[in-house]
Amino acid sequence: MSGPQCCENPPTLNPSSGVGRLEKVAGLDSYVAGSPDSKSAIVFVSDIFGYDAPNLRKFADKAAAAGYYVVVPDFFYGDPYVPDNAGRTIQIWLQDHGAAKGFEDVKPVIESLKSKGITAIGAVGFCWGAKVVVELAKQDNIKAGVFCHPSFVSVDDIKEVKVPLAILGAEIDQMSPPAVIKQFEEVDAFVKIFPGVSHGWTVRYSIEDEAAVKAAEEAHKDALEWFAKYVK
């Protein structure tokens, strides 16, 4: 279900990165950005490397600057995947951190946001996080969803989605090849395949690589435009 590409280009985690703040949301340590008075929110569901990834938080800050209250919970309870731990492969790690558990954990986050008076909620999932977001989208818990280089999501999943869904895929992706992503489009999701990029490109790019930064920024822009259309 998951291979080396899912684990490539791990970020250098930095718990102090971003311009937001750390708070507890529904009992989960979370990176939070934007005004809590906003009536619209976006929940970011990270890839296997967790919520301390600087590029992920940079994207969250962009969403906050667009007017959203943004929450990036730590669904791994301080235990993100560590590629250098040879004794704990990704398959073993996933036994402790399955997407089903992530879905159970995100539901109280959604309820917490609603209790603050937030009336429109979107969610964006990266790799592992896309499976969590698709489960949210099946139950009408959000107004719209975005997947960035999804993993573990099937055509059958997409068939059950009840809200507008945008899927931003990579041309070079073993987890969700373009041929699979295009099947999602046939089921009624918006699909865009980014040429020349690999799985993880929206949050695991090198800031030194101009082309990589440009592709990631284009994806961020597309995601925020999707949310602007449906989460308001």
Side-chain angles (χ1 to χ4, degrees), residues 153-177:
V153 177
S154 68
V155 173
D156 286 340
D157 283 326
I158 303 299
K159 287 178 180 177
E160 296 182 49
V161 166
K162 298 179 179 178
V163 301
L165 186 63
I167 302 167
L168 308 180
E171 180 184 18
I172 308 158
D173 196 334
Q174 299 160 2
M175 303 302 298
S176 292

Side-chain angles (χ1 to χ4, degrees), residues 40-214:
S40 302
I42 305 294
V43 177
F44 276 56
V45 187
S46 76
D47 62 15
I48 58 176
F49 297 108
Y51 84 136
D52 282 339
N55 289 346
L56 177 72
R57 291 188 177 185
K58 189 181 296 183
F59 186 3
D61 292 339
K62 288 182 186 177
Y68 295 102
Y69 182 64
V70 181
V71 179
V72 191
D74 177 15
F75 291 109
F76 307 138
Y77 297 85
D79 183 36
Y81 176 65
V82 179
D84 295 337
N85 185 348
R88 196 179 187 208
T89 64
I90 182 62
Q91 287 78 12
I92 293 172
W93 182 87
L94 284 168
Q95 292 175 13
D96 295 326
H97 299 293
K101 176 68 166 59
F103 176 51
E104 292 306 313
D105 284 342
V106 77
K107 287 189 284 188
V109 173
I110 299 295
E111 292 308 312
S112 173
L113 293 174
K114 290 178 179 178
S115 75
K116 296 178 185 293
I118 291 171
T119 55
I121 301 171
V124 54
F126 306 83
C127 185
W128 177 95
K131 181 64 172 177
V132 176
V133 173
V134 81
E135 295 301 327
L136 278 175
K138 290 177 186 179
Q139 299 193 5
D140 230 0
N141 284 313
I142 54 177
K143 295 284 188 183
V146 174
F147 298 167
C148 296
H149 35 86
S151 297
F152 314 120
V153 177
S154 68
V155 173
D156 286 340
D157 283 326
I158 303 299
K159 287 178 180 177
E160 296 182 49
V161 166
K162 298 179 179 178
V163 301
L165 186 63
I167 302 167
L168 308 180
E171 180 184 18
I172 308 158
D173 196 334
Q174 299 160 2
M175 303 302 298
S176 292
V180 172
I181 296 288
K182 286 174 181 174
Q183 291 178 31
F184 297 164
E185 186 174 35
E186 294 167 10
V187 183
D188 201 22
F190 170 80
V191 168
K192 180 175 178 178
I193 306 294
F194 284 69
V197 298
S198 300
H199 182 85
W201 95 95
T202 65
V203 287
R204 291 191 230 156
Y205 58 90
S206 167
I207 60 173
E208 311 294 330
D209 185 332
E210 186 177 335
V213 170
K214 183 178 179 181

